[in-house]
Amino acid sequence: MEKKNLFGLTLTELEKEISPLPKFRAKQIAAWIYQRGANSFDEMTDLSKKIRAELREKYFVQSAKLVTELNSADGLTTKFLLAFEDGAAVETVLMRHDYGNSICISTQVGCNMGCKFCASTLKGLERNLTAGEMLGEIIFVQNFLSRENKKIDTLVIMGTGEPLANFDNLMKFLRLIHENYTLGMSYRKITISTCGIVPAVKKLIAEKIPVTLSISLHAPNNKLRSEIMPINSAFDIQQVLKVGDEYARETGRRVTYEYILLGGVNDTEEHARQLAKILSGQLANVNLIPVNSVDERNFQRPTDHAIKKFFHFLNTHGINATVRKEFGAEINAACGQLRIRANKGN
């Protein structure tokens, strides 16, 4: 009989799976798996040897296994390449801020959105991650931080893949991470990034989960956005801004528009002027992101002068903008880079 992995099950699913054992046993197992970092039933010392032996016959516990770990020279960024049961691997990034520890997780193995500046899309989409696999990324990093007596403070769902293209698994994961028997994370400490799949954003609004929404804009006009983001042919800037405004209005949560700065492509004062115009009146922030250059992509980081000029123009024309602090450039912290490098080595 093929054994089943218990990691990633909700408490209700776990209770049903191990029946006829009493429900309190499921709570004990969940605590060991999700809060104490147990990777085997032998570690679950409040279960009898008989119960542990019975569980081993049918089940196993496996979250995510480390393939590669890279640390930035300043000690602020750690990037993990994590593998799952089938060998598929994704990248997860830990960023240490003054205000706490933030983790950026992936939701798919690869990506089919085709953004021209992104390493994640180079080999297309392999598959979606399950809710349990997303949780596995979180638990792995939490166990890593526990050795330093620290914890994950905020979560950014902005790694490899388009989160809203894996909607059902994403929703299950959000509810799992919110449960007290996992990490009990507040929804308000979670940010979801999307390239702007309008119908999926509407579904997210209907879920009434108060997460922060971050929308990848990356261009101030449809012509340029279509050139660098194929999704724009399906959902153009006007549609994206309209649904962003709806999200802000329905949730009361300010939307962040991500704008990756590509040297000589979308970083001029005229681009800033167009961006300020289309965002005028929106309940929104702009997060400017200097591109992390990818060998396989022909885009370069803008000059510091161009970044400062773009930032200054937006802020002096009524648009609240920030420049994202650059983490881990020397360890290939841009989405997809470490996975590509690892695959080349195989």
Side-chain angles (χ1 to χ4, degrees):
M1 183 180 68
E2 187 175 344
K3 293 184 179 182
K4 182 173 183 178
N5 189 3
L6 293 184
F7 191 95
L9 298 185
T10 66
L11 185 59
T12 300
E13 290 169 338
L14 194 54
E15 289 170 349
K16 182 178 180 181
E17 186 63 45
I18 67 168
S19 176
L21 287 176
K23 289 184 177 181
F24 78 89
R25 294 298 187 192
K27 290 182 180 180
Q28 289 175 306
I29 294 169
W32 278 107
I33 294 174
Y34 301 131
Q35 297 179 341
R36 300 184 192 177
N39 291 307
S40 73
F41 296 114
D42 290 336
E43 298 172 64
M44 302 180 187
T45 52
D46 54 359
L47 301 179
S48 70
K49 289 183 179 180
K50 180 176 182 293
I51 290 175
R52 281 180 271 168
E54 291 173 351
L55 290 171
R56 276 196 301 272
E57 288 180 5
K58 295 182 180 180
Y59 308 109
F60 66 100
V61 177
Q62 181 180 322
S63 59
K65 292 187 175 181
L66 180 66
V67 178
T68 304
E69 175 187 330
L70 295 175
N71 292 281
S72 62
D74 61 12
L76 296 178
T77 308
T78 303
K79 186 165 191 176
F80 307 97
L81 185 64
L82 302 177
F84 303 107
E85 286 180 59
D86 63 353
V90 298
E91 295 160 47
T92 306
V93 182
L94 168 64
M95 294 161 286
R96 299 168 176 87
H97 302 273
D98 293 340
Y99 53 82
N101 298 301
S102 179
I103 178 176
C104 179
I105 70 163
S106 298
T107 55
Q108 296 179 310
V109 183
C111 182
N112 66 358
M113 292 296 104
C115 297
K116 302 302 182 184
F117 46 82
C118 184
S120 298
T121 69
L122 285 168
K123 294 188 177 182
L125 176 66
E126 186 175 324
R127 67 172 178 84
N128 286 327
L129 293 188
T130 66
E133 288 169 333
M134 290 180 232
L135 183 62
E137 296 179 73
I138 297 278
I139 298 299
F140 178 90
V141 177
Q142 181 55 58
N143 292 340
F144 177 87
L145 284 172
S146 293
R147 299 197 294 266
E148 307 171 14
N149 293 315
K150 295 179 181 177
K151 65 181 181 65
I152 297 168
D153 297 293
T154 56
L155 168 62
V156 182
I157 306 173
M158 200 179 289
T160 298
E162 164 53 53
L164 296 188
N166 188 12
F167 192 87
D168 291 342
N169 285 322
L170 177 66
M171 291 303 107
K172 182 178 179 181
F173 161 72
L174 289 175
R175 290 185 167 88
L176 253 176
I177 199 67
H178 184 66
E179 294 286 356
N180 287 331
Y181 60 82
T182 59
L183 294 187
M185 181 170 284
S186 167
Y187 290 131
R188 295 184 181 275
K189 293 185 177 181
I190 300 173
T191 297
I192 297 175
S193 176
T194 176
C195 65
I197 302 177
V198 171
V201 175
K202 289 179 177 290
K203 285 176 65 178
L204 182 61
I205 293 171
E207 292 288 333
K208 299 187 183 301
I209 298 176
V211 296
T212 298
L213 183 66
S214 185
I215 300 177
S216 297
L217 201 58
H218 303 328
N221 60 70
N222 282 318
K223 181 178 183 300
L224 179 55
R225 191 168 190 261
S226 293
E227 290 173 3
I228 62 175
M229 296 182 69
I231 191 69
N232 197 67
S233 63
F235 308 110
D236 64 21
I237 288 176
Q238 286 67 38
Q239 292 172 285
V240 168
L241 294 180
K242 183 178 179 182
V243 80
D245 186 57
E246 182 180 348
Y247 189 89
R249 187 174 62 252
E250 293 295 325
T251 65
R253 306 284 288 168
R254 185 180 293 269
V255 173
T256 295
Y257 288 98
E258 298 165 355
Y259 192 98
I260 195 162
L261 288 165
L262 307 168
V265 176
N266 66 352
D267 63 340
T268 68
E269 184 174 308
E270 178 55 30
H271 292 124
R273 189 184 311 279
Q274 292 177 28
L275 184 61
K277 183 177 180 181
I278 64 173
L279 291 180
S280 178
Q282 293 272 339
L283 180 62
N285 300 314
V286 175
N287 192 9
L288 300 174
I289 310 166
V291 69
N292 193 340
S293 298
V294 177
D295 290 342
E296 295 84 356
R297 300 297 198 185
N298 192 29
F299 293 103
Q300 299 300 318
R301 185 185 186 280
T303 64
D304 288 342
H305 176 72
I307 295 169
K308 289 177 182 177
K309 190 174 181 181
F310 202 101
F311 166 77
H312 180 73
F313 187 94
L314 292 180
N315 278 289
T316 55
H317 287 77
I319 305 299
N320 184 32
T322 56
V323 179
R324 179 184 293 175
K325 184 176 180 180
E326 295 173 72
F327 280 85
E330 81 275 19
I331 60 168
N332 297 321
C335 299
Q337 287 180 291
L338 182 56
R339 179 170 172 260
I340 289 170
R341 219 172 71 181
N343 286 340
K344 282 180 179 178
N346 291 337

